[in-house]
Amino acid sequence: MERKVVVLNVGDFVPEEAYADLFNYAEVVFYGRASPDELRRAEVLVTFRVTREDLQVMPNLRVVQVLSAGVDHLDWPSIPETVTVCNNAGSNAIPVAEHALALLLAAAKRITHYDARCRSGDFTRDRITKILYGSEVAVLGLGPIGMRVAELAKALGMRVRGFARRPREEPFIDEFFAYPDVRGALSGADFAVLALPLNKHTRGLIGYDELGAMKRDGVMVNVGRGGVVSKPDLIRFLRENPEFTYATDVFWSPEISQDSDIAALPNAIVTPWIAGAFGHPRVYVEMVRYAVSNVIRYLRGEGLRNVVDRSDYV
Ligand code: NDP
């Protein structure tokens, strides 16, 4: 039987051992080096994004395995319903959850505030820090990232509220709130960690009233996507509530520098989208390995994991 063609668009610097297993199951070709005939026969594409042109030259595509956990950047209307799209959720959840905790601790312990002061020679103590033990944290989004955050928060003695669509009972979650009750999840919380995908249901989910549901000196951490929070509402809220902190790794504009107005606010803590692939080269290699393992499941006739419900996006 003719072997299926898999196109890899993963970057030349990725070591072969990250995808070598694939050679046992498929004819593997590399994006940019594949012939028109190989592309025409391609059934699977592993990539960050799929363009309209890709879809034209690969008419037999059945599976697009995206390398990132988020799929909001895809041009969904251009992707035919015959193509199954899989995200890569779980491939980098541990470093992203660690980053969320780093942002949370930096805000709670006023690290950025005092570090900037001390560097300028000012050693005055003007702000109290927050204690995590016994505090309430709302974890919004209970995928691999949110669940790891919940586990870490529980280990620090926090009381964990979870928010997602499907109800669930998990050992690290003390109380569950189902979509759309985001205000219930945030009400009176000391901390919130956003680990939500950006889809048509979550875009702008957090507005002025949702921010206001938290404690006035609360801390909101966002490692999901910027667009889950309304930017104008956030700016207004942060200006009106100087004790509140928004700590984020994610933004609204594809070009992060266009969101420098957030970084300029004294009660914002900002890192430039480094929680995942940009944080450590090993993380990216792991993302490729994880994506390839899903493709192998498909080639072996096993069920694909992380199949995206396109109705969340179109
Ligand atoms: P998953 O896609 O596995 O999990 C998403 C979670 O969000 C699920 O618990 C899902 O709940 C929940 N969810 C989806 N839609 C809604 C909704 N309308 N209301 C409430 N809950 C909802 O994702 P991961 O944990 O792997 O990743 C989450 C996001 O983090 C990614 O989509 C990506 O945008 C971002 N990310 C950011 C990185 C960075 O570098 N900062 C790196 C990696 C990911 P349910 O199962 O009940 O539907």
Side-chain angles (χ1 to χ4, degrees):
M1 204 172 82
E2 201 183 348
R3 298 180 114 206
K4 291 179 170 147
V5 176
V6 174
V7 180
L8 284 186
N9 185 14
V10 297
D12 289 341
F13 61 92
V14 175
E16 188 179 307
E17 45 104 4
Y19 51 79
D21 284 354
L22 206 47
F23 297 123
N24 297 322
Y25 299 95
E27 185 181 334
V28 181
V29 297
F30 294 90
Y31 189 89
R33 281 182 265 154
S35 69
D37 179 58
E38 287 167 331
L39 292 175
R40 191 189 48 73
R41 290 189 292 119
E43 187 164 327
V44 181
L45 171 64
V46 182
T47 186
F48 263 112
R49 62 178 69 240
V50 55
T51 65
R52 281 173 192 256
E53 196 180 58
D54 292 334
L55 293 161
Q56 271 166 12
V57 297
M58 295 183 234
N60 291 307
L61 217 49
R62 288 291 164 268
V63 176
V64 172
Q65 171 64 60
V66 179
L67 288 163
S68 53
V71 290
D72 48 287
H73 60 289
L74 297 183
D75 179 9
W76 279 98
S78 73
I79 302 173
E81 287 182 26
T82 49
V83 174
T84 300
V85 176
C86 296
N87 69 30
N88 209 11
S91 63
N92 59 5
I94 287 178
V96 178
E98 287 178 1
H99 198 88
L101 194 66
L103 289 171
L104 191 150
L105 281 164
K109 302 300 175 186
R110 315 290 186 204
I111 303 293
T112 48
H113 170 77
Y114 280 119
D115 180 64
R117 287 277 184 103
C118 292
R119 281 168 192 278
S120 68
D122 179 354
F123 293 85
T124 48
R125 304 178 184 107
D126 64 340
R127 297 196 67 184
I128 56 164
T129 60
K130 294 166 82 72
I131 294 170
L132 273 55
Y133 188 91
S135 66
E136 295 264 348
V137 60
V139 180
L140 276 48
L142 300 176
I145 297 171
M147 286 309 300
R148 180 68 180 163
V149 168
E151 183 180 1
L152 295 171
K154 201 76 207 144
L156 290 166
M158 302 171 92
R159 188 170 180 282
V160 181
R161 306 172 186 176
F163 171 78
R165 287 183 291 201
R166 284 177 294 122
R168 61 194 84 193
E169 283 182 25
E170 303 279 358
F172 309 120
I173 295 178
D174 298 296
E175 196 176 356
F176 177 78
F177 294 81
Y179 175 85
D181 188 17
V182 69
R183 270 189 227 172
L186 292 172
S187 179
D190 302 279
F191 300 95
V193 177
L194 276 50
L196 285 163
L198 180 61
N199 59 37
K200 69 185 190 195
H201 310 290
T202 61
R203 187 177 293 279
L205 184 71
I206 307 294
Y208 188 83
D209 292 341
E210 288 69 32
L211 289 157
M214 290 180 67
K215 289 207 174 126
R216 278 292 176 270
D217 65 345
V219 173
M220 180 174 280
V221 172
N222 194 354
V223 290
R225 286 290 182 265
V228 171
V229 181
S230 156
K231 187 176 172 185
D233 285 12
L234 176 66
I235 291 178
R236 181 179 151 213
F237 188 82
L238 290 178
R239 286 197 177 127
E240 290 174 6
N241 295 278
E243 294 304 311
F244 192 93
T245 308
Y246 182 72
T248 192
D249 185 54
V250 287
F251 302 87
W252 296 264
S253 315
E255 189 54 57
I256 298 174
S257 58
Q258 288 176 11
D259 289 318
S260 57
D261 44 354
I262 288 292
L265 293 170
N267 45 348
I269 297 176
V270 172
T271 54
W273 202 3
I274 54 158
F278 288 103
H280 194 293
R282 207 179 73 211
V283 173
Y284 182 65
V285 172
E286 269 317 304
M287 289 163 71
V288 172
R289 201 190 304 278
Y290 200 70
V292 162
S293 72
N294 202 25
V295 172
I296 290 174
R297 288 170 66 107
Y298 172 75
L299 296 168
R300 288 163 58 117
E302 299 162 5
L304 280 164
R305 67 170 174 246
N306 290 345
V307 173
V308 180
D309 180 351
R310 62 181 286 128
S311 72
D312 280 346
Y313 294 89
V314 277

